[in-house]
Amino acid sequence: SSGAVPGTVMTTSGGLRLVDAGRATTIQDLGRRGLASLGVPRAGAVDRSSHDLANRLVGNEVDAATLETNGGLIVEATRALVVATSPSGDRHTLAPGARLRVDPPRDMMWAYLAVRGGVAVTPVLGSRSHDTLSGLGPAPLMSGTELPVGADPGTALVADQAPQRVRDRVVRLWPGPRVDRFADPLGVLVGRTWTVSGATSRVGSRLQRGDFTLVSTDRLASEGLVPGAIQVTPSGEPVVMLANHPTTGGYPVVAVVDELDLSIVAQAPPGATVRFRLAT
């Protein structure tokens, strides 16, 4: 294989070789928390539930780094490895030289590959995540790269399969700090079905234009953003902030997606529909 990802420490026991790096494949863990005041985005797995599921299947802690991909990822084991994928939820052992392809299903954006011991690249600011917005973290993955795998965690393997539960795309909302900038923006959000546009990524999911009526025209200074914040653009498009969102933004935040439902939005591909309801 080619050399290791810059800034990583290779293990003598080898690990995973990327036969094909696939589409938008990155290394992700739980991200960089507590650094937003310094302008450092959180990053981390865009679908936390799928990342956690894959890690549990191989006996890792949830903060172990996985591979997140939009599809077309093909890996080859350079030693015997225990791996799991989402959303299929299969766990099995790869013998040296064995290959595995990882793709999300048609109705989802992302899939995860977890390997027992985790992808053991060197953390940057406390995280092994690659941040597609700022460029922090491991270098972008390339075909032919070999990734190190960490030591066996010594935990029990308690399940052979745990497929991700398919849920309706109904997303709970909490009122945002700028709900007063529009006439009943929460009513607009919950009153219709929304279609995901082609402009969706790890940064955010942009929805089709809505009929938002602006009632305050005062200039709004940039404010801090959190994952799940829904900004409304001047053209009336709601944008849901995802894992690589900027730390600040100037569009009004009218609502925030419940943290437990954010993966539903993250996994909705262009053309998919979502509905909102108010959280209680």
Side-chain angles (χ1 to χ4, degrees), residues 60-146:
N60 288 341
E61 297 292 333
V62 292
D63 61 350
T66 63
L67 294 182
E68 176 187 277
T69 184
N70 187 237
L73 171 65
I74 302 175
V75 299
E76 179 182 277
T78 60
R79 63 179 175 90
L81 297 173
V82 177
V83 300
T85 61
S86 71
S88 64
D90 293 323
R91 187 191 72 230
H92 47 274
T93 300
L94 295 181
R99 295 183 176 185
L100 178 67
R101 180 177 175 120
V102 185
D103 291 292
R106 291 183 179 180
D107 61 345
M108 299 178 75
M109 282 281 290
W110 305 101
Y112 291 82
L113 172 69
V115 55
R116 186 167 172 86
V119 180
V121 295
T122 302
V124 176
L125 295 180
S127 172
R128 292 180 169 90
S129 292
H130 174 72
D131 183 350
T132 57
L133 186 65
S134 70
L136 282 173
L141 297 177
M142 300 177 61
S143 299
T145 298
E146 186 171 336

Side-chain angles (χ1 to χ4, degrees), residues 52-61 82 84 91 116-117 151-161:
D52 291 359
L53 171 68
N55 267 330
R56 285 197 299 271
L57 281 166
V58 296
N60 288 341
E61 297 292 333
V82 177
R91 187 191 72 230
R116 186 167 172 86
D152 191 293
T155 55
L157 297 174
V158 296
D160 293 325
Q161 187 180 51

Side-chain angles (χ1 to χ4, degrees), residues 127-207:
S127 172
R128 292 180 169 90
S129 292
H130 174 72
D131 183 350
T132 57
L133 186 65
S134 70
L136 282 173
L141 297 177
M142 300 177 61
S143 299
T145 298
E146 186 171 336
L147 296 172
V149 174
D152 191 293
T155 55
L157 297 174
V158 296
D160 293 325
Q161 187 180 51
Q164 186 181 42
R165 181 169 60 90
V166 177
R167 295 183 291 174
D168 294 334
R169 291 196 177 99
V170 180
V171 179
R172 291 169 293 180
L173 295 179
W174 298 94
R178 297 299 174 184
V179 69
D180 59 346
R181 301 282 294 188
F182 299 90
D184 191 24
L186 298 180
V188 174
L189 287 171
V190 302
R192 58 176 287 184
T193 299
W194 298 85
T195 300
V196 178
S197 77
T200 185
S201 68
R202 282 181 48 84
V203 175
S205 179
R206 187 180 295 263
L207 308 179

